[in-house]
Structure formats: C-alpha cells, structure tokens
Amino acid sequence: MDRDEELLRGRVYGQEHDDPRPGPRPGRVYAELVGGPLDGLLLDVTGRPPEAVADGVALETELGRYGADGRSLYDPRPGDPGRFDWTGDAP
C-alpha cells in the first residue's frame, strides 16, 4: 500500500483532508467503499433509507478516470449493506 492509499484508509468520504478527526464518528452509520479510486473510504449512510441507495451512489472525486469533473459509481453489495462495490467512473 502506498502513502496515498494509507492516508485514505479509515477516512470518511466528504470530510476535509485536514480535518483533525477524519475517521468515523460515534452514533453514525457507515458503509465501506470497496475498489476503485475511493477504496477504503467510509460513506456516511446515517438516516438514508435503503431505497435511497439501492441503485447505488455517484460520488464526486478528482481521483477517478474523469478527473475533477468526474464521479465514481458504487453499488451496495448484495447481502452486505456495509459495503459498496465500485462499478466504474462517470463524467
């Protein structure tokens, strides 16, 4: 694992990189992002009804194929709502 990957592990998607508390917070529910450019990050799904994420999520990231204007696509893993698998990138 390189240094960039190490820095991302255990961090929550959407939190600022210089946040003094980049990890999960008590009382919140998270799903792990698996594969792709956001591998290892946690997605806060607190309060989201299952139907809101059933078709997956498109997360803004400059780390994917399309750079600063791109999104990485993640779908909930069947039978394991605590993990979302990468399915590709979109502009």
Side-chain angles (χ1 to χ4, degrees):
M1 177 182 326
D2 70 22
R3 176 90 172 118
D4 289 338
E5 289 177 55
E6 188 177 324
L7 289 172
L8 291 176
R9 293 235 170 252
R11 297 183 62 88
V12 176
Y13 171 80
Q15 285 184 324
E16 296 296 323
H17 69 277
D18 59 353
D19 188 323
R21 294 182 52 210
R25 307 234 163 123
R28 309 295 297 175
V29 178
Y30 299 93
E32 180 182 2
L33 300 174
V34 180
L38 302 177
D39 184 49
L41 289 180
L42 301 174
L43 177 65
D44 189 344
V45 294
T46 306
R48 291 187 191 191
E51 60 273 8
V53 293
D55 291 332
V57 294
L59 305 172
E60 293 181 13
T61 182
E62 60 188 49
L63 301 174
R65 178 178 178 191
Y66 297 97
D69 295 325
R71 290 174 171 30
S72 284
L73 310 174
Y74 287 85
D75 287 342
R77 182 178 289 178
D80 187 357
R83 294 178 189 262
F84 281 45
D85 293 311
W86 178 66
T87 58
D89 293 320

